[in-house]
Amino acid sequence: MTIVMKANEIRKTFLDFFASKQHLIVPSAPLVPKNDSTLMFINSGMAPFKDFFLGNGNPPAKRIADTQKCLRVSGKHNDLEDVGIDTYHHTLFEMLGNWSFGDYFKKEAIAWAWELLTDVYKLPKDRLYVTVFGGDKGDNLQPDDEAFAIWEQILGGKERILYGSKKDNFWEMGETGPCGPCSEIHIDLRPDEERKKVSGYDLVNNDDPQVIEIWNNVFMEFERKADKSLVKLPAQHVDTGMGFERLVRAIQNKTSNYDTDIFTPTLAIIEELSGLKYGQSEPTDIAMRVIADHIRAIAFTIADGQLPSNVKQGYVIRRILRRAVRYGYSRLNLREPFLVKLIPNLATQFADVFPELKAQQEFVTKVIFEEESSFLRTLENGLRLFEQIKPTVKSNVVEGKVVFELYDTFGFPVDLTALIARENGFSIDEEGFKVLMAEQKERGRSATKVSAGDWVIVDEDFEKTEFIGYEYQECTTKIVKYRELKDAKQSYFQIVLEKTPFYAESGGQVGDTGTLSVISKQGTVTLNVFDTKKENDLIVHLIKATPQGLEALAGLNVLAGLEVKAKIDTNRRSLTENNHSATHLVHAALRQVLGTHVAQKGSLVNEELLRFDFSHFAKVTDEELATVESIVNQKIRENIALDERRNVPIEEAKNLGAMALFGEKYGDFVRVITFDKNYSVELCGGTHVPSTGKIGAFKFIAESSVAAGVRRIEAVTSVKAEQLVSEQLAVVSELKELLNKNPKDIVKTVSNLLEEKADLQKQIEAYQHKEIQAVKQSLLGKITQQNGVAVIAEIVTLPHAEALRTVAFELKNQVENLFLVLASEISGKPQIAVMIADNLVKDKGLHAGNIVKELAKEIKGGGGGQPFFATAGGNDVSGLGKVVEKGKGLV
Ligand code: ATP
Ligand code: MG
């Protein structure tokens, strides 16, 4: 009997194999990339190393290997709709990779890939096929004959090598950037009989679920420029990606990724929860696969710090979660939160590779539970809503407009609408819906589209901007590159300097503003920096293209060698620093007061305020807030000096007791900010006060909830805190003057006043009630009988519009055959009410709504209502007499 390798061993074997080839093994980077606005989620093993390929910064080693969590649910790579339907695309999957940064190239990469698959994993050679790039005329690219020759030698023939198209075998990072030919390895997992009938060779890259790609080796040779041209890279790299789940399936010889021990434990729990068996029917199998897959994406993304929300990554996660719940609800009859029940197994299964889930299990569970429960409620509401829509459905098709509204306004997914429609014997107008969706998308796109030109390189040797803003607020430097950007609203420039004091937005702290003064023979031109951002490893200064600035920038090429004086807005930076340091103090205080489950979930620090989101399961009470505030102010008064350490290896930072360690990539060197080593130690790249006394004072301004299990506090410091206190005190002294009391009595005085007011209100109401009754009584005496109709048409004096109604309704109950027209001036405006007895409405066809409209002309107004009762308001009180006259003559 052969012993089949378990998934965990297979992963370890891969890493050990490349370690033996001198690769540094690093852990997976978090799923949500930092400082990369072009990518929502890490979607390939290379994404975290992008900077190194772009030449911004140096890798920790020339050879690296890892397993990277990847998510392909948005943008260029989006497999979401296939997941669960097929058996080899996942939302979250692991990509095993080995990397060469300007070190080995095609020969070694190909040889090692073959050695690992066939010698170590013992995959059958006759089931493997490889592809190489076949060239592209349009792009003027030659076939990759070099890779072909290497493969031919290893395989001892050409029979298993295919030339592939640009689509399959030329890899590009994005619109621009590094790219090159690739060589894929495919495996044919069909039974022998079928392989005899049709050769696997003919099924490669043909969407056969049993003939699948497992490994892609990319050889980065070129860089794609904005004008689409290609230039050869100075150093060549290797970037490989092997789908772990597919590899395990091949080694364990299964027909589906879900039959491997990566997924079977989760599927077993789903079977238990639903009382159904996996493998019994396709619709329920799909649902089980969807759930077993999606829970991984949801749990690990939340563990990596991304909460479900209504925007960006948060929205994608929310949609994945809802897709899973929907399948469970409609196909497996799961009516209670079930995703949460899959977490404990997952946390244990991945404790060694991705410990972040186990470490935050309680929090992740809480977040998922809330999301799941609230979506289940939405589903039930949707079903109810559908019941209401049912009668309006014409010719059994639910209109596209209705489907869109359900989706857009009620968050109701289309496929669910389709499902419910089907259950009711309807279909939906999918085309109509798609048109409306496309229109909405287009509106979104045109608002955010940014087009970027190529970087204009001024200094070829430039590697990385030196950030000197921890020490300096200004410096003399040089421009090393710049480019122009345009979006729907404006055109602006990005400028990169050799060194800069400008802090680029990150870690919640806003980017610096300030000026760049370019000094030339013609004089000095000052450009206003309105924001500073990070783009991968670059620090980019943003400058609006004002006419004067444009002129200066047009000459930048010439001015390149000239000096630039970079100076930040020091006042804004200083206020921002107060808030940033205060954020650390409050974080520590919250942990002291509420417990160590408090962990940062988001933050914003600018010159106005600080905002801090953290995990906590209940509202922070007023007493707790008061305690936290007093601890922070105590720490401010202690005037604790800043202890800043740079380039600390992540492992060492952990030993220092630093908080917030998830979200960092291995190999990272971090900066540790300490205010009293027994109080606050945090990883942070932001700028801080030299000692806490400078913060001056700290005051909370708000406490609220942002998501399940996440609270938000907002606070102000220094000048703003002082302003807040002064303003509040001013309000108190104003009140004091108004009430002629000293502040201590104010609260009591005001509550007495409120009580008195309530008493008076009651008295007024009683008085008004009497008045209304008197009016009614006098009207009863003014009835005239005309043709069997009891007519009352009078001008009355009443306190409010509601009283007019009351009188009308009471008279209706008391007087038979009533025809009533009441006119009144209320708060300076004319008001009319018409009331007609039900039998008159029925027998004589009278309609109060129509009558009131006619009468309202006399008071220059309008109104309407039901057949028996209607009201109108107007602008001309002098017409009230006419109203009454007319009313009398109507019967
Ligand atoms: P496919 O054509 O099968 O979607 P791909 O060309 O998109 O694959 P690459 O971008 O080359 O794949 O990624 C490298 C490897 O990652 C693939 O060889 C495959 O093993 C794996 N992979 C890609 N997408 C997924 C996915 N959605 N789920 C699981 N594994 C995947
Ligand atoms: Mg793909």
Side-chain angles (χ1 to χ4, degrees):
M1 200 185 84
T2 48
I3 298 164
V4 182
M5 260 191 181
K6 294 244 187 263
N8 283 341
E9 284 171 67
I10 295 172
R11 185 191 296 108
K12 184 169 179 301
T13 303
F14 176 91
L15 298 173
D16 289 349
F17 177 82
F18 282 102
S20 78
K21 312 274 185 217
Q22 288 76 50
H23 286 62
L24 172 72
I25 309 301
V26 306
S28 174
L31 280 161
V32 180
K34 277 188 179 175
N35 312 324
D36 186 351
S37 56
T38 63
L39 198 62
M40 278 236 203
F41 295 105
I42 297 294
N43 60 5
S44 66
M46 71 79 64
F49 301 124
K50 219 162 118 179
D51 277 347
F52 307 143
F53 291 117
L54 285 166
N56 305 323
N58 290 315
K62 288 199 152 186
R63 297 179 182 188
I64 291 182
D66 67 354
T67 181
Q68 172 63 45
K69 287 173 285 184
C70 296
L71 208 44
R72 293 202 168 172
V73 289
S74 61
K76 185 174 142 217
H77 286 296
N78 188 347
D79 295 334
L80 184 59
E81 293 309 319
D82 290 330
V83 174
I85 314 287
D86 78 18
T87 56
Y88 61 106
H89 280 96
H90 301 292
T91 53
L92 178 120
F93 64 99
E94 287 179 58
M95 204 187 276
L96 301 167
N98 55 294
W99 317 87
S100 155
F101 300 102
D103 190 36
Y104 63 84
F105 204 45
K106 293 181 194 178
K107 200 161 139 254
E108 296 84 346
I110 291 175
W112 289 338
W114 192 253
E115 183 190 340
L116 177 64
L117 292 181
T118 60
D119 274 7
V120 181
Y121 289 136
K122 306 254 183 275
L123 286 174
K125 293 181 184 169
D126 66 332
R127 285 177 180 266
L128 296 170
Y129 295 88
V130 303
T131 65
V132 298
F133 179 51
D136 188 85
K137 289 224 175 68
D139 235 346
N140 205 12
L141 283 164
Q142 297 302 312
D144 191 356
D145 294 331
E146 189 189 350
F148 195 102
I150 297 169
W151 274 121
E152 189 181 348
Q153 208 199 352
I154 290 180
L155 302 176
K158 302 183 187 353
E159 308 78 55
R160 326 190 67 78
I161 314 173
L162 295 85
Y163 272 119
S165 66
K166 187 169 145 192
K167 178 181 141 284
D168 286 323
N169 285 82
F170 195 83
W171 193 89
E172 308 210 27
M173 193 161 87
E175 298 287 310
T176 59
C179 54
C182 61
S183 177
E184 300 166 342
I185 303 171
H186 295 250
I187 189 161
D188 181 355
L189 294 165
R190 293 173 306 152
D192 286 337
E193 315 86 75
E194 283 185 43
R195 287 171 60 221
K196 272 182 210 136
K197 277 185 242 157
V198 183
S199 160
Y201 189 95
D202 297 324
L203 296 177
V204 167
N205 272 332
N206 265 330
D207 287 332
D208 187 305
Q210 301 302 330
V211 184
I212 54 171
E213 176 192 333
I214 49 172
W215 202 347
N216 193 359
N217 280 247
V218 180
F219 310 119
M220 284 197 214
E221 291 183 81
F222 306 106
E223 181 179 353
R224 175 82 67 188
K225 297 291 198 181
D227 68 4
K228 299 282 156 229
S229 66
L230 288 170
V231 292
K232 191 114 179 148
L233 284 171
Q236 279 137 31
H237 317 291
V238 173
D239 146 22
T240 88
M242 172 149 64
F244 174 64
E245 296 76 8
R246 293 189 194 178
L247 173 71
V248 173
R249 163 181 166 189
I251 294 173
Q252 298 183 349
N253 197 18
K254 304 285 184 193
T255 51
S256 150
N257 290 8
Y258 295 89
D259 293 337
T260 66
D261 66 334
I262 304 174
F263 291 99
T264 46
T266 300
L267 284 170
I269 304 173
I270 302 172
E271 285 183 324
E272 202 175 302
L273 291 173
S274 64
L276 298 166
K277 281 267 162 256
Y278 183 66
Q280 301 262 293
S281 93
E282 191 58 8
T284 52
D285 283 357
I286 290 176
M288 290 190 189
R289 290 199 290 264
V290 163
I291 295 166
D293 171 276
H294 288 12
I295 183 61
R296 301 179 355 131
I298 302 159
F300 282 107
T301 316
I302 297 172
D304 274 349
Q306 179 60 59
L307 292 170
S309 74
N310 267 338
V311 290
K312 296 189 188 158
Q313 286 99 332
Y315 190 53
V316 178
I317 291 310
R318 179 165 279 171
R319 272 184 20 229
I320 296 176
L321 184 142
R322 291 180 171 183
R323 190 170 187 262
V325 174
R326 235 167 56 219
Y327 271 102
Y329 187 93
S330 59
R331 296 204 182 169
L332 306 180
N333 271 320
L334 296 168
R335 295 287 186 267
E336 299 290 320
F338 56 90
L339 289 173
V340 272
K341 307 212 169 107
L342 307 174
I343 299 172
N345 164 67
L346 216 54
T348 315
Q349 190 180 337
F350 289 94
D352 291 337
V353 238
F354 309 127
E356 51 278 16
L357 183 56
K358 183 129 202 124
Q360 298 172 87
Q361 195 173 333
E362 190 195 353
F363 174 71
V364 174
T365 305
K366 173 86 182 172
V367 172
I368 295 180
F369 180 79
E370 291 291 331
E371 279 285 314
E372 239 191 313
S373 317
S374 98
F375 186 60
L376 281 167
R377 280 196 296 275
T378 307
L379 280 182
E380 317 245 281
N381 288 340
L383 291 170
R384 229 169 289 137
L385 210 66
F386 200 83
E387 286 304 309
Q388 288 168 21
I389 291 165
K390 249 160 102 175
T392 68
V393 174
K394 290 190 202 94
S395 44
N396 289 343
V397 180
V398 184
E399 276 180 275
K401 204 176 88 212
V402 175
V403 180
F404 182 75
E405 197 188 323
L406 279 172
Y407 167 83
D408 199 42
T409 317
F410 301 99
F412 216 64
V414 198
D415 24 6
L416 190 75
T417 309
L419 205 78
I420 304 175
R422 221 169 22 246
E423 277 161 12
N424 283 279
F426 302 146
S427 64
I428 63 166
D429 172 12
E430 214 161 316
E431 281 313 306
F433 170 78
K434 278 189 190 146
V435 170
L436 291 166
M437 254 330 256
E439 281 172 12
Q440 193 194 42
K441 264 200 193 135
E442 192 43 47
R443 283 194 296 275
R445 224 196 320 270
S446 52
T448 55
K449 199 165 183 173
V450 178
S451 72
D454 271 331
W455 285 107
V456 178
I457 310 285
V458 179
D459 180 352
E460 289 287 348
D461 298 331
F462 166 77
E463 274 197 17
K464 190 178 170 184
T465 304
E466 186 192 351
F467 174 64
I468 58 162
Y470 294 136
E471 285 86 15
Y472 301 97
Q473 301 184 324
E474 59 179 279
C475 73
T476 306
T477 177
K478 279 193 323 201
I479 291 173
V480 292
K481 58 181 179 179
Y482 66 92
R483 67 174 172 182
E484 190 177 4
L485 275 96
K486 281 197 184 89
D487 62 23
K489 277 186 234 121
Q490 58 182 346
S491 149
Y492 51 99
F493 282 86
Q494 294 184 321
I495 294 184
V496 180
L497 302 173
E498 192 168 50
K499 58 181 176 183
T500 183
F502 283 75
Y503 180 79
E505 177 187 335
S506 61
Q509 182 176 336
V510 291
D512 273 328
T513 57
T515 54
L516 302 183
S517 304
V518 186
I519 307 152
S520 78
K521 281 192 203 113
Q522 290 80 18
T524 301
V525 183
T526 300
L527 307 168
N528 285 316
V529 177
F530 69 89
D531 202 356
T532 311
K533 287 196 190 297
K534 258 189 202 169
E535 205 174 287
N536 300 312
D537 245 9
L538 294 176
I539 296 177
V540 181
H541 306 77
L542 301 182
I543 287 161
K544 282 218 179 74
T546 60
Q548 181 225 23
L550 269 180
E551 208 172 287
L553 284 157
L556 278 179
N557 237 343
V558 196
L559 300 175
L562 298 177
E563 287 187 340
V564 176
K565 195 157 190 196
K567 188 173 184 315
I568 62 166
D569 178 339
T570 50
N571 184 42
R572 180 170 175 274
R573 160 77 85 81
S574 161
L575 292 170
T576 307
E577 278 175 2
N578 292 337
N579 286 333
H580 201 155
S581 300
T583 304
H584 287 205
L585 300 184
V586 79
H587 187 184
L590 284 165
R591 286 170 69 92
Q592 258 184 28
V593 175
L594 304 178
T596 48
H597 62 278
V598 167
Q600 173 164 348
K601 290 292 157 201
S603 98
L604 170 75
V605 177
N606 61 27
E607 71 273 32
E608 299 280 329
L609 55 78
L610 63 101
R611 198 172 76 195
F612 185 70
D613 299 345
F614 56 96
S615 42
H616 182 56
F617 303 135
K619 187 177 166 48
V620 189
T621 65
D622 288 348
E623 293 87 73
E624 286 165 341
L625 284 176
T627 314
V628 170
E629 195 173 274
S630 115
I631 294 174
V632 173
N633 280 309
Q634 171 62 30
K635 294 293 166 188
I636 291 172
R637 285 189 299 273
E638 282 173 23
N639 199 19
I640 307 163
L642 164 71
D643 172 7
E644 182 216 17
R645 287 180 222 189
R646 296 184 202 163
N647 293 319
V648 182
I650 188 93
E651 294 304 317
E652 204 177 313
K654 277 187 197 170
N655 293 338
L656 291 171
M659 294 190 268
L661 286 161
F662 294 117
E664 298 305 319
K665 312 201 273 261
Y666 174 87
D668 284 353
F669 285 85
V670 293
R671 184 162 167 265
V672 181
I673 294 296
T674 306
F675 289 107
D676 179 349
K677 69 180 189 322
N678 297 315
Y679 182 69
S680 161
V681 185
E682 290 203 41
L683 301 189
C684 177
T687 64
H688 287 274
V689 297
S691 58
T692 57
K694 182 174 164 284
I695 301 168
F698 173 91
K699 286 304 269 179
F700 281 118
I701 51 175
E703 193 277 344
S704 60
S705 155
V706 259
V710 182
R711 305 300 302 182
R712 166 172 294 175
I713 52 99
E714 288 168 272
V716 289
T717 63
S718 65
V719 185
K720 290 278 173 198
E722 186 187 323
Q723 270 170 17
L724 179 74
V725 173
S726 314
E727 277 162 20
Q728 296 299 310
L729 287 176
V731 171
V732 172
S733 39
E734 224 173 283
L735 279 177
K736 185 179 124 185
E737 248 170 63
L738 273 175
L739 300 167
N740 214 358
K741 287 275 175 3
N742 82 52
K744 271 210 182 127
D745 297 334
I746 290 183
V747 178
K748 192 149 182 289
T749 311
V750 171
S751 67
N752 285 348
L753 278 175
L754 288 174
E755 250 169 60
E756 268 171 42
K757 180 174 172 275
D759 275 351
L760 288 171
Q761 189 72 37
K762 267 191 209 137
Q763 286 179 30
I764 290 175
E765 272 161 24
Y767 172 76
Q768 286 178 342
H769 180 72
K770 267 189 205 151
E771 195 187 350
I772 291 167
Q773 291 310 313
V775 168
K776 196 183 82 186
Q777 246 11 74
S778 90
L779 287 173
L780 283 172
K782 290 182 179 157
I783 300 175
T784 60
Q785 294 291 342
Q786 300 176 24
N787 309 330
V789 178
V791 179
I792 307 174
E794 292 294 329
I795 297 184
V796 288
T797 310
L798 284 169
H800 43 67
E802 189 51 36
L804 202 61
R805 252 183 110 82
T806 312
V807 172
F809 275 86
E810 286 189 12
L811 284 172
K812 185 188 179 210
N813 286 338
Q814 262 174 288
V815 182
E816 274 179 23
N817 302 325
L818 175 70
F819 180 88
L820 170 74
V821 175
L822 289 181
S824 180
E825 182 183 333
I826 293 166
S827 312
K829 293 267 181 191
Q831 299 266 1
I832 317 172
V834 174
M835 176 67 88
I836 305 172
D838 293 337
N839 59 320
L840 295 182
V841 170
K842 239 204 241 150
D843 301 344
K844 308 217 163 171
L846 292 174
H847 193 294
N850 297 339
I851 292 170
V852 93
K853 270 186 201 136
E854 191 53 38
L855 295 176
K857 288 178 187 163
E858 302 299 337
I859 53 166
K860 298 206 172 64
Q866 291 149 294
F868 73 95
F869 179 68
T871 57
N875 293 307
D876 184 6
V877 240
S878 69
L880 286 175
K882 281 240 180 71
V883 169
V884 170
E885 239 170 72
K886 238 186 176 174
K888 280 191 174 129
L890 273 175
V891 177

